Amino acid sequence: MTTDVKVPTLGESITEATLGQWLKKPGEAVKADEPIASLETDKVAVEVPSPVDGVIGTLVVQEGDTVEVGALIATIEAGGGTSAGQVATGTGTEPRAKAEETVPPPAAEAPKPGTQATAAAYGNHEADPQSGQTLPMSPSVRRAVAEHGLDPAGLSGTGPGGRLTKEDVVKAAQSRPAPAPAAAAATPAAGARREERQRMSRLRKTVASRLKEAQNTAAMLTTFNDVDMSAVMEARAKYKDLFEKKHNVRLGFMGFFVKAACQALRDVPSVNAFIEGDDIVYHDYADISVAVSAPNGLVVPVIRDAHTMSVATIEKTIGDFGKRAKDGTLKMDEMKGGTFTISNGGVFGSLMSTPIINPPQSAVLGLHRIEERPVVRNGQVVVKPMMYLALSYDHRLIDGREAVTFLVALKNAIEDPTRLLIDL
């Protein structure tokens, strides 16, 4: 009996995806609900589960192909299947002993773990040191293995099913002992030039398209201010241990900024509004999009009804988003919507930037690094921990006065956090 595997529903308005990686090979046994492929959508990676127990039959599409929702991508045959160590032929398998008759003996001993080897020596797969099976490697992992000269058979994977991830390869390379001086002879000649061509991921193409659309559509302008972080830093230092003990989450700065932004959005509602055709759509709620880093690029999950949340709830939500963004388990619905965006480039060391609006939103707040700078207080030059704030906004909807008013309200709340408690 043959069962078809089709592209599942990916979310509202998403009609196609890219086949990023096959997690199973023809002839391998698979359990119901076990992931067999990874799809790249415009926002996140989605795993395709097996609908039944059986054996992987035909793989209809190749990695990198674009597939539509409902399209056939593979078949699953009834049966016990084989391990990855057995050789697959067509939609069935051959026992290992029979396959070995047609394979000539190796010309040389395989490289030992820890010696230099390229990904080409292992094809598209890595050896599982515990089971002796071979597991598929994604293109980025193969490339990282080749660049660092590692033997994938000697590496431990932390990905699904024990597969290697790029982070596993980088970590192994960093922990590898420094090569002996004699190895310097193998380094490329001085002045050697090389280049690499890599296909743009669907996520990166979507980000590029949307950012360019924002530049072409909105009348973007950026206004700046700076904020003294002394009060927030003192509060954090004083209460961080009690906060973590009670709420089981660290007290960061984003909780303060999200609360302050929600209060400022209430005072200046146009910053929280959209242009839709000839209409302006105002919102009596604040769904805050927060940019977080993921392996494939920046993603922007949404804190729903942030205006109703405590600082602790906001910190927990952001922490959960960050963890699941790294794991690639964010859901489509968590990426949709949002009325206002906060992007924190300060975690990467940015001093100042002009962030780009996330359509159809009308404004985005950029946070930057905190550094001590001389400022004047009561006629005296003192050193304070300062941060630059940047608000990029659509001038078609938001006037300069409103943009500045928003930033000043935000600045006042951060410099005097008591305002957040007594609603000033």
Side-chain angles (χ1 to χ4, degrees):
M1 178 180 176
T2 301
T3 302
D4 293 340
V5 181
K6 298 182 178 181
V7 178
T9 301
L10 301 173
E12 184 180 353
S13 76
I14 298 179
T15 60
E16 62 180 22
T18 299
L19 199 294
Q21 180 183 1
W22 283 112
L23 305 178
K24 292 288 185 178
K25 297 182 296 181
E28 287 192 62
V30 64
K31 298 291 186 180
D33 296 327
E34 183 178 1
I36 64 172
S38 175
L39 298 176
E40 293 180 1
T41 70
D42 294 345
K43 297 181 178 179
V44 294
V46 178
E47 290 184 336
V48 180
S50 171
V52 294
D53 293 348
V55 180
I56 299 295
T58 304
L59 304 183
V60 179
V61 298
Q62 298 180 347
E63 293 182 357
D65 288 352
T66 298
V67 292
E68 296 183 353
V69 172
L72 176 68
I73 59 172
T75 61
I76 296 179
E77 308 290 344
T82 69
S83 67
Q86 293 176 305
V87 179
T89 304
T91 59
T93 60
E94 301 266 347
R96 178 186 295 272
K98 183 175 179 181
E100 288 176 349
E101 296 175 2
T102 62
V103 179
E109 183 181 357
K112 296 179 181 179
T115 61
Q116 286 197 346
T118 64
Y122 299 89
N124 297 341
H125 299 79
E126 58 176 299
D128 186 339
Q130 296 183 353
S131 65
Q133 300 177 351
T134 57
L135 303 175
M137 289 194 297
S138 67
S140 62
V141 173
R142 292 198 300 273
R143 192 163 50 250
V145 167
E147 289 175 353
H148 293 289
L150 296 175
D151 178 0
L155 304 181
S156 298
T158 60
R163 292 174 178 79
L164 282 179
T165 65
K166 187 175 180 181
E167 288 74 17
D168 295 330
V169 178
V170 173
K171 186 176 180 180
Q174 292 174 343
S175 62
R176 181 175 54 180
T187 58
R193 291 153 55 97
R194 60 188 294 265
E195 63 180 32
E196 177 184 355
R197 186 179 297 272
Q198 181 179 353
R199 185 172 182 176
M200 188 181 290
S201 68
R202 176 174 288 272
L203 174 62
R204 176 53 56 189
K205 286 191 290 186
T206 300
V207 170
S209 174
R210 287 176 61 83
L211 293 181
K212 189 59 181 172
E213 175 191 354
Q215 286 187 320
N216 294 339
T217 303
M220 278 204 300
L221 188 64
T222 304
T223 186
F224 299 94
N225 212 319
D226 60 1
V227 58
D228 184 348
M229 295 293 291
S230 298
V232 167
M233 293 177 70
E234 289 171 4
R236 182 171 180 266
K238 183 177 181 179
Y239 296 112
K240 65 178 182 179
D241 292 336
L242 289 174
F243 185 89
E244 185 170 2
K245 183 178 180 180
K246 179 176 181 179
H247 300 291
N248 197 30
V249 66
R250 294 180 61 188
L251 177 60
F253 296 122
M254 283 297 289
F256 290 98
F257 277 103
V258 171
K259 287 290 290 183
C262 290
Q263 185 169 292
L265 291 172
R266 182 199 60 192
D267 295 339
V268 190
S270 61
V271 181
N272 200 39
F274 297 166
I275 290 180
E276 196 170 89
D278 293 330
D279 298 328
I280 299 174
V281 181
Y282 292 94
H283 306 94
D284 66 352
Y285 55 87
D287 286 351
I288 306 297
S289 304
V290 181
V292 297
S293 181
N296 294 327
L298 214 60
V299 293
V300 192
V302 180
I303 305 174
R304 310 286 179 190
D305 295 319
H307 62 291
T308 66
M309 293 183 178
S310 66
V311 170
T313 304
I314 292 170
E315 293 287 1
K316 287 180 180 179
T317 303
I318 294 174
D320 177 60
F321 282 157
K323 181 179 183 300
R324 291 193 292 120
K326 292 180 180 178
D327 296 339
T329 57
L330 284 174
K331 299 177 181 178
M332 285 290 185
D333 289 344
E334 294 172 323
M335 315 283 285
K336 292 164 46 181
T339 60
F340 181 77
T341 295
I342 299 178
S343 179
N344 186 7
V347 296
F348 304 110
S350 172
L351 175 65
M352 186 180 292
S353 67
T354 55
I356 299 179
I357 296 168
N358 180 23
Q361 298 174 18
S362 298
V364 53
L365 175 67
L367 308 182
H368 302 91
R369 74 170 185 250
I370 302 170
E371 65 175 9
E372 292 187 338
R373 292 199 296 269
V375 294
V376 178
R377 295 287 186 269
N378 300 320
Q380 300 293 321
V381 177
V382 295
V383 176
K384 293 287 186 179
M386 304 297 293
M387 176 196 289
Y388 286 117
L389 304 176
L391 181 74
S392 292
Y393 59 98
D394 189 344
H395 212 341
R396 298 177 302 165
L397 172 61
I398 303 169
D399 295 331
R401 181 191 64 178
E402 294 171 312
V404 172
T405 300
F406 173 89
L407 269 190
V408 169
L410 185 78
K411 171 185 170 74
N412 290 338
I414 294 298
E415 292 186 340
D416 184 7
T418 305
R419 289 171 172 265
L420 299 175
L421 298 177
I422 60 178
D423 197 21
L424 284 180

